[in-house]
Amino acid sequence: MRNGKFTKLFTLTTAVALVGSMIWPAAPQTALADRGVVDLWKAIKPLTTIASAMNTGAHPDDEHSATLAYLSLGKGVDTSSIIANRGEGGQNEIGSELDNALGIIRTRELQEASKVTNVHLEMLSQQINDPIYDFGFSKSPDETLEKWGEQVAYERLIRTIRTLRPDVVIPAFLNEPSTHGHHRAINIITVRAFSDAADPAVFPQHAREGITPWQVKKLYVPAKEDSHTVRVPVGDYDELYGASYLQLGEESRFMHKSQGMGRHYDEGPRFNYYKLEQTSGVTKEKETDFFEGIAFTFDDLAREVTAEPGAGQIVADLKKLQRDADDVIAAFPRFADVAREVHEMLGDVNQTSAKVQASKLDEAMKIDLLHRLDVKKAQLNKASAEALSLVLKVKPETTELVAGQSTKFSVTAYNGGQVPVNQVNLKLNLPRGWQAKAVTETTFTQLGYNQTATATYEVSVPADAVLFQPYAAPAVTADVSYEYAGAQATSKITPADTVALLPPYAMTLSPEATVLNTLKPKEPIPVKVTVRNYTPGAAKTNISLKVPAGWSVEPNAASLDFAAKGETQSVAFTVTAGASVKPDTYTITAVASGNGKESRHGAQIIRYPHIGTTYFVKPATVAIQAFDLQVPEGLKVGYVSSGFDNIDQYLRQFGVDVTNLTAKDIESANLSEYDTIVLGIRAYGFRPELLSSNDRLLKYVENGGNLVVQYHKPEDKWKPELAPYPIKIGTPLIQWRVTDENSPVNMLAPDHPLFNVPNKITDEDWNHWIQDRSAYNPAEWGKEYTELISNGDPGENEFTGTFLSANYGKGTYTYSSIVWYREIPALVPGAIRMFVNMVSLQQ
């Protein structure tokens, strides 16, 4: 590849997706770099085909990116990616966000990835804490569908298929025992939907909403070279994009940074293979293409319609649309010529739609034709703006709003093309209840080269406006319509940055979750409330804590005066539990009140360069788990974080003296000052100094230290000899884990100090765990280790290498693949007791 070509390609291919794609909060845009001849081609290529395809998957990153790039960018097919959940149960390779916050990140990454491949994205999961949630790894599709709600997931999938009406559907995975249960579940319901989406008796409520049944024409599943029906040439090089479709697909995968996705591939032939699983037509052993035997062009569609009574004029119109599409392509890359041909085709599509609507065609045929023409209309609107070089923007005075606020928005249209457009109308769209008043002209007779039209609106946000929802469509959009060459086009645009309605006083509580040691019930709980003022200008508010009955808090309240919006101040409270506090779960809620406004929410700002800024609005609370916990006095721990967990923060809350070790510390500091050194999950893969200093760590153990190593994957540069006695991680990784958090645990060495000092561990301590028991369990280990537990998923062999500990010299070495990084933040009492025992271990 020529130097710099691929870098430039990445910039060019992150352009806005086809009009008709789902509208999402956007990352910061490089508007100038995103325009030009490549985006023009991306906009007009879909005009050449009326075919559509859908790829279904379970999580963000499940999409078949190379195949999607081939279909969308290469063939112009109307391509959609349907993903079930938001990836909340995964790991985070760019920060410490987990659960819902991680789901927000992965959703934004998926949205940006879909832009690269020009793919329409839909999610079955619709909101925070949706039933279709990534609850962690599962070995069972039955468990997955039970937790999601099988009817909920299936109804949403059928609804999506009936709405988008794909000709071809491709589930991303097979229903095989070695595959993630979430992947298997999506395969199962996708395969089942092939017939059910066409059956009006399945979810008949859809028809009452105007959503009609749809028969998918072909369903393909992933296959191998020796068993395929179709092979997709993803290695084909596209001169316009300066890359192969595999490379384009990987550019989209690089957007999944929280999962460490994306690989660099050299040029050359490569194929993806698929097997035809179901079809409504003729089955062939080998096919040249997904769409063999399916109408692909307007001419093909005209031939299908020919046999229908009263279709004569419609057939002629469809053939004319074929000529229109050919003319658009022939005009490329001459922008003005393309614009003229696009608008001629747009006018013809509008006329054809009207004729189809008025025709006596069979109702099913009429619905199908109108859908395909509507898709084409949306594509033509996009192509029009690209060909005319219109730069369209909606710009807020501020992106951070509060209920009851007044602000301004401007809608602009800049003409960078060589031909004028007429009757330009700039319209602002707002949620129900919001009010907009135009304070300038909104319609312009003509917009010529290098001219900008601007409409300014005063906007009033109602007092009962709903707070920002990260998975909802943008609250504010704009429609820009204009006329050219006898046809009107309209583009829907969104602000470049997320516009969010936030709490007037957004509070962050530290800690957000903590332990109340019932052995020391009167020990005060410090709670720091950090308040950000989102109200415009100066403001005053009172901060107080709502605590459980019988508890006390000092001070009762604190008054804060803010000089300006965006200012942040903090208040420190001390909470003391009641004398008779019992082991249980308790909640402290922060309340901000002032200027007639009250807030009990916080707004976590989530900001990364590749996804821009978004927010997680959540209750401003502290979760408190009360239970008995013994912690040795003066215990000193050195923590080596990979950045993927925050257990060190919780150890400090429990009363442990924790120091986060730097690379310099690990390489040259006196490690013997620490009673214990803990390596965070996957630390060897992300802290390179550990590999070069591993002998120092083992020497630390040999001299009497306590080293605790949490789970690793083989790709984390783990080698059996890194441990004092070899530990080999089991592969394939999917099989070496326990996913049932309620699975029975047998303590094999009940007298071991890890189960007795300083906390006595009983069977009760294995209750109330979340998501998983363990991940990436060892398959082989030295005889020197004590096997501490046995545990497995129901119906499977139990693992005995999950929790291993050995004496080495004067010290101790413990390797554990238990998912502490999930259990400790969830304040699982047994997990906390055992972790404290683990960092307290001595010979």
Side-chain angles (χ1 to χ4, degrees):
M1 185 174 292
R2 296 181 294 277
N3 292 336
K5 185 66 172 286
F6 211 56
T7 303
K8 180 180 180 182
L9 162 71
F10 179 74
T11 304
L12 289 170
T13 56
T14 52
V16 176
L18 285 173
V19 173
S21 292
M22 210 166 184
I23 300 170
W24 298 102
Q29 298 174 357
T30 51
L32 298 180
D34 280 349
R35 307 192 71 82
V37 69
V38 172
D39 279 339
L40 178 62
W41 179 253
K42 287 172 68 174
I44 66 174
K45 181 62 177 177
L47 304 178
T48 64
T49 173
I50 50 85
S52 55
M54 175 183 289
N55 182 210
T56 64
H59 319 93
D61 93 336
D62 282 353
E63 65 272 20
H64 284 197
S65 305
T67 297
L68 292 176
Y70 170 79
L71 289 170
S72 176
L73 300 177
K75 295 182 70 66
V77 170
D78 179 30
T79 308
S80 57
S81 173
I82 313 304
I83 301 298
N85 64 47
R86 308 277 176 166
E88 303 96 334
Q91 300 170 32
N92 186 353
E93 295 197 6
I94 59 174
S96 60
E97 297 93 346
L98 291 175
D99 304 314
N100 281 319
L102 176 58
I104 293 170
I105 291 172
R106 290 193 170 184
T107 298
R108 287 289 302 115
E109 290 176 336
L110 178 60
Q111 292 160 1
E112 293 302 312
S114 299
K115 290 180 183 179
V116 175
T117 50
N118 231 14
V119 165
H120 176 97
L121 173 65
E122 294 270 5
M123 307 289 293
L124 300 187
S125 171
Q126 297 174 353
Q127 58 190 349
I128 294 290
N129 296 324
D130 194 272
I132 305 176
Y133 190 86
D134 182 359
F135 57 86
F137 191 89
S138 174
K139 296 177 182 176
S140 166
D142 295 335
E143 178 199 35
T144 299
L145 293 173
E146 179 183 2
K147 289 192 174 184
W148 287 353
E150 183 168 351
Q151 285 299 96
V152 172
Y154 197 44
E155 187 276 332
R156 292 180 186 177
L157 178 62
I158 293 287
R159 176 185 294 270
T160 304
I161 290 173
R162 288 173 173 173
T163 300
L164 298 181
R165 302 167 70 87
D167 296 314
V168 170
V169 172
I170 308 165
F173 296 92
L174 297 170
N175 178 22
E176 294 181 331
S178 62
T179 302
H180 195 319
H182 297 183
H183 298 162
R184 297 177 67 186
I186 288 300
N187 172 281
I188 288 169
I189 63 174
T190 302
V191 171
R192 190 194 310 162
F194 179 84
S195 299
D196 282 355
D199 185 350
V202 177
F203 303 119
Q205 67 269 31
H206 290 177
R208 296 191 290 272
E209 300 173 40
I211 303 172
T212 56
W214 172 246
Q215 178 59 68
V216 175
K217 296 178 176 62
K218 293 182 181 181
L219 185 139
Y220 293 86
V221 296
K224 297 181 179 178
E225 184 176 2
D226 59 359
S227 60
H228 72 277
T229 308
V230 168
R231 68 174 192 173
V232 179
V234 296
D236 282 6
Y237 192 88
D238 193 309
E239 293 177 318
L240 272 168
Y241 300 116
S244 70
Y245 301 114
L246 175 62
Q247 291 170 331
L248 290 167
E250 287 303 306
E251 287 297 337
S252 78
R253 299 195 72 75
F254 275 112
M255 300 307 297
H256 295 291
K257 294 185 186 299
S258 69
Q259 303 187 69
M261 291 292 168
R263 295 175 58 187
H264 293 285
Y265 286 95
D266 289 333
E267 296 75 14
R270 285 180 183 266
F271 299 90
N272 286 349
Y273 298 95
Y274 298 91
K275 180 180 178 181
L276 181 62
E277 186 81 358
Q278 297 189 62
T279 178
S280 59
V282 178
T283 301
K284 292 179 64 177
E285 183 176 347
K286 296 292 181 186
E287 294 178 336
T288 58
D289 188 81
F290 285 129
F291 302 97
E292 188 173 322
I294 298 175
F296 191 78
T297 65
F298 278 107
D299 277 346
D300 295 336
L301 194 57
R303 282 190 288 272
E304 285 191 357
V305 176
T306 300
E308 296 292 323
Q313 184 56 52
I314 304 299
V315 170
D317 287 345
L318 292 175
K319 290 182 177 180
K320 187 172 192 305
L321 290 177
Q322 180 67 59
R323 295 193 295 273
D324 287 341
D326 293 341
D327 290 342
V328 171
I329 298 300
F332 179 80
R334 302 180 305 278
F335 280 72
D337 292 345
V338 171
R340 185 181 63 254
E341 300 296 344
V342 162
H343 274 257
E344 181 177 335
M345 186 174 182
L346 183 57
D348 290 342
V349 165
N350 289 332
Q351 291 180 14
T352 304
S353 294
K355 291 178 183 178
V356 171
Q357 188 69 56
S359 74
K360 296 181 180 180
L361 288 171
D362 172 78
E363 189 64 20
M365 174 67 75
K366 183 184 293 188
I367 290 172
D368 182 53
L369 287 174
L370 289 173
H371 171 79
R372 295 180 193 274
L373 290 169
D374 283 346
V375 170
K376 210 54 54 186
K377 194 180 304 182
Q379 293 169 348
L380 284 160
N381 281 323
K382 167 64 177 172
S384 167
E386 293 290 352
L388 291 167
S389 296
L390 297 179
V391 182
L392 311 174
K393 298 178 182 179
V394 52
K395 297 187 287 188
E397 185 177 46
T398 175
T399 59
E400 297 172 335
L401 303 172
V402 298
Q405 179 177 348
S406 295
T407 188
K408 290 183 179 180
F409 282 82
S410 64
V411 184
T412 65
Y414 168 80
N415 187 351
Q418 299 301 311
V419 296
V421 293
N422 303 317
Q423 297 303 312
V424 179
N425 183 262
L426 309 176
K427 177 188 174 186
L428 189 68
N429 305 312
L430 298 171
R432 180 178 299 177
W434 293 38
Q435 300 294 322
K437 177 184 177 182
V439 294
T440 64
E441 292 295 324
T442 61
T443 300
F444 302 83
T445 304
Q446 190 175 81
L447 187 67
Y449 169 69
N450 215 23
Q451 292 182 339
T452 300
T454 301
T456 301
Y457 289 84
E458 289 183 349
V459 172
S460 298
V461 182
D464 60 352
V466 176
L467 292 173
F468 177 72
Q469 302 292 322
Y471 299 153
V476 180
T477 63
D479 290 334
V480 178
S481 61
Y482 52 90
E483 292 180 0
Y484 174 68
Q488 184 186 72
T490 301
S491 291
K492 184 174 290 293
I493 54 175
T494 62
D497 298 308
T498 301
V499 175
L501 187 76
L502 301 175
Y505 310 105
M507 296 170 288
T508 302
L509 276 63
S510 178
E512 292 186 344
T514 193
V515 164
L516 171 61
N517 192 345
T518 51
L519 297 176
K520 303 175 181 179
K522 287 298 182 180
E523 192 168 275
I525 302 172
V527 177
K528 180 182 178 182
V529 182
T530 301
V531 187
R532 179 182 289 269
N533 174 37
Y534 283 111
T535 62
K540 183 176 182 178
T541 186
N542 289 312
I543 307 298
S544 60
L545 296 183
K546 183 180 179 181
V547 299
W551 293 32
S552 62
V553 57
E554 291 289 341
N556 289 328
S559 179
L560 296 180
D561 289 297
F562 296 99
K565 176 181 178 178
E567 184 181 347
T568 298
Q569 296 186 37
S570 297
V571 181
F573 293 93
T574 300
V575 176
T576 305
S580 59
V581 65
K582 298 288 191 295
D584 204 345
T585 300
Y586 301 91
T587 301
I588 296 172
T589 302
V591 180
S593 56
N595 295 340
K597 296 180 171 63
E598 180 179 288
S599 173
R600 298 189 178 200
H601 285 84
Q604 179 180 349
I605 301 172
I606 298 175
R607 179 180 292 125
Y608 289 96
H610 66 303
I611 61 172
T613 299
T614 187
Y615 306 85
F616 179 24
V617 177
K618 56 186 177 180
T621 58
V622 178
I624 298 178
Q625 184 68 53
F627 63 95
D628 296 350
L629 179 64
Q630 296 277 6
V631 180
E633 294 290 336
L635 182 62
K636 193 170 183 180
V637 171
Y639 202 93
V640 183
S641 176
S642 59
F644 302 157
D645 68 71
N646 54 6
I647 290 178
D648 53 320
Q649 300 173 27
Y650 287 91
L651 289 174
R652 291 186 183 94
Q653 292 180 25
F654 308 154
V656 178
D657 179 3
V658 179
T659 299
N660 288 91
L661 301 183
T662 66
K664 185 177 180 180
D665 293 333
I666 295 166
E667 292 167 344
S668 60
N670 178 16
L671 300 180
S672 64
E673 65 179 281
Y674 301 104
D675 299 300
T676 299
I677 293 175
V678 179
L679 306 190
I681 59 172
R682 309 183 62 192
Y684 280 100
F686 296 87
R687 296 291 296 269
E689 68 272 16
L690 289 176
L691 292 170
S692 58
S693 301
N694 194 64
D695 288 344
R696 292 193 82 235
L697 291 174
L698 295 184
K699 193 59 149 178
Y700 158 80
V701 178
E702 192 174 8
N703 290 337
N706 177 32
L707 182 62
V708 173
V709 180
Q710 298 179 70
Y711 78 70
H712 282 71
K713 297 180 181 181
E715 59 262 35
D716 297 326
K717 301 182 177 66
W718 178 265
K719 295 180 180 179
E721 57 270 22
L722 290 172
Y725 314 110
I727 294 177
K728 181 181 178 182
I729 299 170
T731 55
L733 298 178
I734 193 171
Q735 298 176 6
W736 291 84
R737 59 195 306 162
V738 180
T739 64
D740 185 349
E741 64 272 28
N742 299 310
S743 55
V745 177
N746 181 27
M747 289 183 281
L748 300 175
D751 296 330
H752 195 282
L754 277 168
F755 296 138
N756 293 277
V757 182
N759 297 281
K760 177 65 178 177
I761 304 302
T762 68
D763 290 340
E764 173 63 25
D765 287 295
W766 297 101
N767 295 335
H768 313 298
W769 287 49
I770 66 164
Q771 190 159 317
D772 298 298
R773 288 287 193 198
S774 60
Y776 319 120
N777 284 308
E780 300 175 17
W781 53 90
K783 65 182 186 319
E784 295 84 357
Y785 292 101
T786 298
E787 300 167 2
L788 295 167
I789 68 170
S790 63
N791 173 236
D793 282 318
E796 297 184 0
N797 293 330
E798 293 193 336
F799 299 110
T800 58
T802 299
F803 203 0
L804 302 170
S805 189
N807 293 334
Y808 182 68
K810 298 177 182 179
T812 54
Y813 181 97
T814 301
Y815 185 95
S816 173
S817 51
I818 291 174
V819 288
W820 307 108
Y821 81 105
R822 291 202 181 276
E823 309 308 321
I824 304 261
L827 302 182
V828 176
I832 292 172
R833 286 192 183 101
M834 272 181 278
F835 206 93
V836 169
N837 285 7
M838 194 161 55
V839 297
S840 306
L841 186 61
Q842 298 177 349
Q843 274 201 32

